[in-house]
Amino acid sequence: MDAKRKQAGRSALPFAVVAALAAAAHAGLGCGDNRLPPRDLPRADEQRPLPRWYPEKPWSEQGGESQVYIEGKIVFDTNKAVIRPGSEKTLETLLQFLKEHPEVTRLRIEGHTDAQASEEHNQDLSAKRALAVADWLVDRGVDNLRLIAVGFGESRPLGPNEIAAGRSENRRVEFHVAEVNGRPFLGQDPYAGGLALEVLSLEERKLRAEQAAQPKAPPPRRGFVATGDEIRPVQVKPRGAAAPEGEPPAPSAPAKDGAPAKDGASPGGGG
């Protein structure tokens, strides 16, 4: 009988300890809980809209849209066509798109600016920025004949140029499919009316850079060339001819000794 009681005591002890611990935890729940309260998700109208260049959907020929949406943005130095660090992810995604879509035989790279400077300056700057992106792709193995670099300047804004956010949105680079399998996509102009710059191969750019770095030689000096004898007409007035109006008469030559003076004058000059 004693053995059974001892066995029952051994089996009941753990349950008592567990019950006591559970009661203590429940009693201290109200004063020792340090969990943060749940946070409500922002409403749809409070969320910031995604930029226009966000990849809403992958490009396909059947989609009927020329623009290729690439996540991110290519940023340049102020008023220059120099790509800033931090744009590599977007460029790498664009490079991967060209590798995965060999049917895209020509891709148009469009440069756009805000309206801070003159229209001519902005169009030239936007074209040079588009060319900088094309050169980046050519340096990594893309055929230069697959790329078109055009600039539109401030002519196609996405936001108002009166505010900083609008100007930032207008400074952008877009990508559009210009040709598919050698034919204009959707029958549109591959250049879309922009200012186009020639996209050179890597070898051509190196050659032109070397030629520009060489000092220019001065033009050759022209040697002396004899013209020979020249006959020029000389106008000779006959003696005694009347002088033109407004000109004083030419003085007469002095008379020699013993010779009578002209016009009846005496040699002595007296009277």
Side-chain angles (χ1 to χ4, degrees), residues 15 56 93 121 126 156 168-169 178 187 204 215 219 229 232 235 243 245 256 268 271:
F15 293 100
E56 301 173 356
T93 305
H121 174 81
S126 62
R156 299 184 180 183
S168 177
E169 193 172 1
E204 290 173 332
D229 297 335
R232 297 181 180 179
Q235 295 182 357
E245 295 182 2
K256 295 182 181 181

Side-chain angles (χ1 to χ4, degrees), residues 158-182:
L158 295 179
N161 283 294
E162 291 75 17
I163 59 177
R167 292 192 295 270
S168 177
E169 193 172 1
N170 294 335
R171 297 189 297 266
R172 69 195 188 279
V173 179
E174 293 184 1
F175 317 105
H176 292 260
V177 175
E179 285 184 4
V180 175
N181 295 322

Side-chain angles (χ1 to χ4, degrees), residues 112-119 122-123 152-157 161:
H112 301 267
T113 66
D114 56 24
Q116 289 294 93
S118 64
E119 294 183 7
N122 290 333
Q123 190 173 31
F152 291 94
E154 59 186 81
S155 61
R156 299 184 180 183
N161 283 294

